[in-house]
Amino acid sequence: MYFDYRLWLMTAGLRTRMLGGVVLGLLAMLAGIGRYVFLGVLLARVYDNQPWQQWLQPAAMVGVLVLLRAALDHWRTLAANRGAAEVQQMLRGQLYDRLVELGPAWIANQRTGGIMLTLAWNSCRRSLASICPRSRSRPWPPWRSSA
């Protein structure tokens, strides 16, 4: 396994959220295992020619566990996407700060398409954040997803 110390440093404020994602993943795995257990019980009762009333409880549990696993996996994915968006915003902010520190003389000698996009995105983001502090957690521009 490869461990990058620089990436680990970028997750300084997100580690508890990352741990929450791991816990959600483990809970989803347990729900998936439980689903297969109840599916096995259901199939055993079907093959034993038991009446259909005996099938209801395992069938209902299979349905509940399918929905629970889907919800847990969805929450895990949302948490991962939010964490990735925060790291991306931090990197863009560092790039913006570095470009401002270098100044226009350095930018004059570079291709500026990506640089201008970063500058425009961050200047708009920072001015919006000063007006509305809640906007820091939202993706910008608003029509872009947070992934």
Side-chain angles (χ1 to χ4, degrees):
M1 184 172 111
Y2 177 72
F3 184 80
D4 190 352
Y5 187 71
R6 291 180 299 167
L7 287 176
W8 180 250
L9 291 176
M10 288 181 202
T11 62
L14 304 172
R15 292 185 189 135
T16 55
R17 191 176 297 174
M18 290 169 59
L19 180 62
V22 169
V23 170
L24 283 173
L26 291 173
L27 289 174
M29 180 189 67
L30 290 175
I33 292 170
R35 173 186 57 181
Y36 288 123
V37 167
F38 282 105
L39 194 57
V41 170
L42 174 65
L43 290 174
R45 290 183 183 178
V46 168
Y47 287 133
D48 284 343
N49 291 325
Q50 294 184 6
W52 66 271
Q53 293 87 357
Q54 297 283 328
W55 305 352
L56 290 180
Q57 183 184 10
M61 288 303 296
V62 168
V64 166
L65 288 172
V66 164
L67 294 175
L68 177 65
R69 185 183 184 286
L72 289 170
D73 197 41
H74 178 70
W75 291 331
R76 182 194 54 81
T77 303
L78 286 178
N81 287 341
R82 283 191 204 111
E86 287 188 25
V87 170
Q88 186 179 26
Q89 288 176 1
M90 182 187 66
L91 287 173
R92 285 181 176 167
Q94 288 175 354
L95 179 60
Y96 174 76
D97 293 340
R98 180 68 176 148
L99 288 172
V100 168
E101 179 184 313
L102 289 172
W106 182 83
I107 295 175
N109 295 328
Q110 305 297 319
R111 294 185 67 206
T112 58
I115 294 172
M116 294 310 294
L117 177 65
T118 300
L119 288 172
W121 187 89
N122 276 294
S123 63
C124 184
R125 180 86 176 143
R126 287 178 183 213
S127 64
L128 182 64
S130 66
I131 297 168
C132 179
R134 287 193 61 217
S135 67
R136 290 186 184 132
S137 63
R138 297 182 185 154
W140 186 261
W143 61 85
R144 292 184 66 182
S145 66
S146 61

